[in-house]
Amino acid sequence: MVSAPLRESSGVWFGLGDAELSVTSVMALVEEREAAARGRAEELRAEAERVLAELAEAEALLERRVIATAELAETLAGRDAMLKEPAAPVSEATTATVADTARAPVAGSIVSRWHAGATVQALAVDYRRIVELVETGPDNGEGISAKELAGRLGLEAVPAKIEGVRSKAKRLAERGWLTASPTGRFTPREPTTPAHLAGGMPSGQGGGS
């Protein structure tokens, strides 16, 4: 005699004689759904990783464009300031003052190469501040990083601002105003000692009896 159906599960009627078969079918259905959910999660995870990678590349490109825009703006500002300088002759009494004003560097000016007797007054204000901060930085021989310079300049600690400061500090190092270490930190320029002092007294001219 066939037993009457006991209950309905997932659209299948089960009787007393096929209990073991019904459990196996339900487990197979649950496992299939779990596998489908796991596959979907893996697809979404891979998609998220791809999007994050593209986002990182886009942010890096944006930082480079921001730095390039800032440098171009500085250059154009310096050119405009020089074009606006009055060309009319001035009286002899004010010739020196006007000459000094005309030579005064402005933002975006080309960084002149350091030479004996040169002072930071030959630099634009933004470059001058960097040199002064490096020279008055921590006296531990390790120098100061671009991030620390940005903070001391009152700039926001974001990649674009930090890279802008690093670019200016590197330019100063290339022109001999600062020294850049392999670790990316900046120290004051190494003093240049005259040859006749660095080598001591010439041979045969030392004191003594």
Side-chain angles (χ1 to χ4, degrees):
M1 179 177 179
V2 179
S3 301
L6 294 179
R7 62 189 177 88
E8 183 181 8
S9 177
S10 302
V12 180
W13 287 90
F14 301 108
L16 293 174
D18 57 358
E20 182 177 353
L21 178 61
S22 66
V23 171
T24 302
S25 301
V26 171
M27 286 297 298
L29 179 61
V30 171
E31 290 174 353
E32 180 180 353
R33 291 180 177 178
E34 179 186 349
R38 181 178 292 106
R40 180 57 177 165
E42 291 177 354
E43 291 178 0
L44 292 175
R45 187 178 298 109
E47 179 68 12
E49 292 176 354
R50 183 186 65 79
V51 171
L52 289 176
E54 292 184 357
L55 175 61
E57 293 179 359
E59 289 180 340
L61 177 60
L62 174 61
E63 290 177 7
R64 293 195 294 270
R65 296 290 168 80
V66 169
I67 294 172
T69 301
E71 292 181 346
L72 177 59
E74 290 181 359
T75 301
L76 293 177
R79 184 198 64 179
D80 292 342
M82 288 186 289
L83 291 176
K84 292 178 181 179
E85 289 292 335
V90 294
S91 62
E92 295 181 359
T94 58
T95 299
T97 302
V98 174
D100 291 340
T101 302
R103 289 194 300 268
V106 295
S109 299
I110 297 175
V111 178
S112 60
R113 186 169 296 278
W114 182 91
H115 57 84
T119 67
V120 293
Q121 300 304 318
L123 300 172
V125 176
D126 46 353
Y127 289 97
R128 186 188 313 162
R129 287 284 294 130
I130 292 176
V131 174
E132 291 172 346
L133 287 173
V134 172
E135 291 180 344
T136 59
D139 190 17
N140 53 12
E142 296 181 359
I144 186 171
S145 67
K147 182 176 182 180
E148 293 169 341
L149 281 172
R152 297 189 182 190
L153 288 169
L155 301 176
E156 188 179 358
V158 296
K161 298 292 185 182
I162 295 173
E163 290 305 317
V165 172
R166 190 192 313 279
S167 176
K168 292 178 180 178
K170 284 184 176 180
R171 196 170 302 146
L172 287 166
E174 292 170 356
R175 301 297 193 279
W177 292 90
L178 298 176
T179 300
S181 69
T183 60
R185 302 179 74 86
F186 300 93
T187 56
R189 67 173 305 279
E190 297 180 359
T192 302
T193 305
H196 69 280
L197 296 179
M201 294 295 292
S203 147
Q205 297 182 8
S209 55

